Amino acid sequence: MIKPFTVSVPDPVLADLKARLARTRWPDSIGKAWDYGTDITFLRELIDYWQNHFDPVAAVKRLNQLDHFTTDIDQRALHFIHARSSHRDAQPLLMTHGWPGSIVEFQKILPMLTQPEHYGGDPSDAFHVICPSLPGYGFSDAPTEPGFDQKSAAIDHRILMERLGYERYFLQGGDWGSAVSSWHAKIAPERVAALHLTLIFVSKPKHLEDPFAQVSPDELEALSRSQARMIKGTGYQAIQGSKPQTLGYGLTDSPVGLAAWISEKFQHWTDPNVPFEQSISMDELLTNILLYWVSGNITASTRLYYESAHSNANLFEGGRILTPTGHAVFPGELYLPPRAWAEMLYNIQHWAIQPKGGHFAALEVPELLATDLRTFFRPYRVS
């Protein structure tokens, strides 16, 4: 039921990609960089690097240094990385990516978690790390019927952990991974020992006479700052949540269109106080984009927005999530809610303000995230 998997990119696919890149028809551009969307100067440099300097064979080789597998669930292949620690008491940790990310996000942090002693940590904090590609992302098959939402993905992950023989484990997620991991904790509370999130979406509590009574000035400033950033960058949600198929034709046919669509989110969602090129390298960004191109899964990945927008499932129906929950608060994250609001929906036991980092913490600041994971999960480990 668990089969080894090797990442591969056929030569004809690479040849076709190069030909498409060479035939790019560029649009005009006005205004300041990034104000209207993906900056044309940046994108021209990225595409030039993709054509003339990026080594896809080396990128695939780096990915294959990790242990990849697939398992069939509901006649769909679910792809995942299973990075095992050499330490006997290592604890299982399932990490879930989001959009427009992939398992590429976890390449740098995995050795920090499996062998912490090589990165200033203690062997007693080691993890066996499982990183699934969400269904319809990367090398996981896309659902073929409507209705596959966040809860459905969580059910797949519960089945995966059962097949791997893990009866009790930890969860970590950001972006869609936050929602999927939260659902996982709700549907399998007897299995999930603790939950760690880098993104928590909670709205202003309407039942409180004064929702801001327990909100500090620093929290209010962070909330306002993140809300202002979101207003400028959530148009994609409306498109992907309503007409993902229409968008998919262009993104599936044009590698430059795909790179523009994905790069804009990486640029906007990384820590705004750190130059983009210092947060994520061109090779990391292009490896992530390459996975979407090679798999042809970009349309399927955006459908998760549609399915979630049209789902009747309510994560907090019946009350808050009781699983012990930790939150690493990165200053460049999309949304920065006050702790008091989060505590109404989660059993918050850990709230760690980070000095830097944004939405893609595992790529931007893997050392900080790894340290926070070790710290939070430590009291919940079993020998």
Side-chain angles (χ1 to χ4, degrees):
M1 299 177 75
I2 305 291
K3 297 173 288 188
F5 177 84
T6 301
V7 178
S8 64
V9 182
D11 289 340
V13 173
L14 292 178
D16 174 70
L17 171 60
K18 277 190 168 291
R20 289 171 184 265
L21 291 172
R23 293 197 304 269
T24 299
R25 183 184 182 190
W26 291 97
D28 67 336
S29 177
I30 62 173
K32 292 174 58 178
W34 300 99
D35 277 4
Y36 286 76
T38 306
D39 176 51
I40 194 168
T41 300
F42 165 84
L43 193 61
R44 282 185 178 274
E45 292 175 356
L46 182 69
I47 300 308
D48 176 73
Y49 187 85
W50 199 356
Q51 286 179 286
N52 301 310
H53 305 286
F54 177 68
D55 187 345
V57 175
V60 168
K61 185 176 181 179
R62 285 191 294 271
L63 283 173
N64 281 325
Q65 291 174 352
L66 302 167
D67 293 325
H68 298 257
F69 301 88
T70 62
T71 187
D72 289 345
I73 299 177
D74 290 338
Q75 299 180 319
R76 287 179 288 101
L78 181 73
H79 163 262
F80 63 97
I81 292 169
H82 194 182
R84 302 171 195 258
S85 172
S86 64
H87 299 295
R88 185 186 66 178
D89 293 330
Q91 307 285 290
L93 167 63
L94 188 150
M95 300 182 72
T96 305
H97 67 84
W99 187 92
S102 68
I103 49 93
V104 172
E105 294 181 58
F106 303 129
Q107 281 184 280
K108 289 192 290 192
I109 199 173
L110 283 174
M112 300 177 188
L113 298 173
T114 57
Q115 306 297 147
E117 70 277 12
H118 297 161
Y119 300 88
D122 192 282
S124 63
D125 287 324
F127 300 93
H128 300 304
V129 189
I130 304 90
C131 301
S133 294
L134 286 168
Y137 287 69
F139 301 109
S140 286
D141 288 347
T144 57
E145 298 293 335
F148 192 95
D149 58 9
Q150 308 157 27
K151 184 179 180 180
S152 305
I155 293 171
D156 276 12
H157 289 181
R158 180 189 59 77
I159 294 171
L160 171 63
M161 294 302 276
E162 185 177 0
R163 288 185 183 175
L164 291 173
Y166 293 128
E167 296 182 358
R168 191 86 167 145
Y169 46 84
F170 301 134
L171 300 178
Q172 195 284 323
D175 196 88
W176 279 129
S178 173
V180 172
S181 298
S182 296
W183 270 110
H184 194 155
K186 180 170 183 174
I187 64 177
E190 74 287 354
R191 291 182 174 271
V192 180
L195 168 69
H196 184 282
L197 305 174
T198 53
L199 176 62
I200 293 181
F201 268 119
V202 291
S203 57
K204 181 171 65 177
K206 296 180 180 179
H207 66 283
L208 296 181
E209 183 176 346
D210 183 5
F212 297 97
Q214 299 182 51
V215 177
S216 71
D218 285 347
E219 287 181 317
L220 183 58
E221 190 278 330
L223 175 66
S224 299
R225 185 177 70 247
S226 64
Q227 287 176 326
R229 286 185 72 202
M230 284 187 65
I231 290 173
K232 294 181 180 179
T234 54
Y236 80 100
Q237 288 184 6
I239 298 171
Q240 296 182 174
S242 59
K243 302 296 180 184
Q245 189 67 29
T246 304
L247 176 68
Y249 296 110
L251 300 188
T252 302
D253 187 61
S254 168
V256 173
L258 178 67
W261 193 251
I262 289 177
S263 296
E264 193 270 324
K265 294 305 159 205
F266 272 87
Q267 190 276 339
H268 187 62
W269 293 352
T270 49
D271 189 337
N273 296 313
V274 178
F276 181 39
E277 62 274 12
Q278 294 180 21
S279 294
I280 298 175
S281 70
M282 280 193 175
D283 283 277
E284 291 166 341
L285 179 59
L286 286 172
T287 301
N288 183 72
I289 294 170
L290 184 68
L291 255 64
Y292 280 91
W293 181 259
V294 170
S295 68
N297 260 344
I298 184 61
T299 307
S301 74
T302 61
R303 277 202 296 267
L304 187 54
Y305 286 82
Y306 181 96
E307 303 296 3
S308 298
H310 293 79
S311 173
N312 293 322
N314 181 354
L315 177 60
F316 301 107
E317 185 177 8
R320 66 204 284 260
I321 292 174
L322 299 180
T323 302
T325 302
H327 181 35
V329 185
F330 292 95
E333 185 52 273
L334 292 178
Y335 185 61
L336 299 169
R339 176 170 181 164
W341 294 5
E343 287 179 334
M344 294 179 187
L345 299 177
Y346 290 90
N347 178 17
I348 301 293
Q349 297 296 316
H350 172 88
W351 191 272
I353 308 297
Q354 304 296 321
K356 61 180 180 178
H359 186 66
F360 303 97
L363 264 180
E364 297 175 64
V365 285
E367 299 88 353
L368 291 178
L369 179 57
T371 298
D372 200 66
L373 292 175
R374 296 176 200 143
T375 301
F376 168 61
F377 287 126
R378 195 171 294 138
Y380 306 100
R381 301 176 75 93
V382 293
S383 57

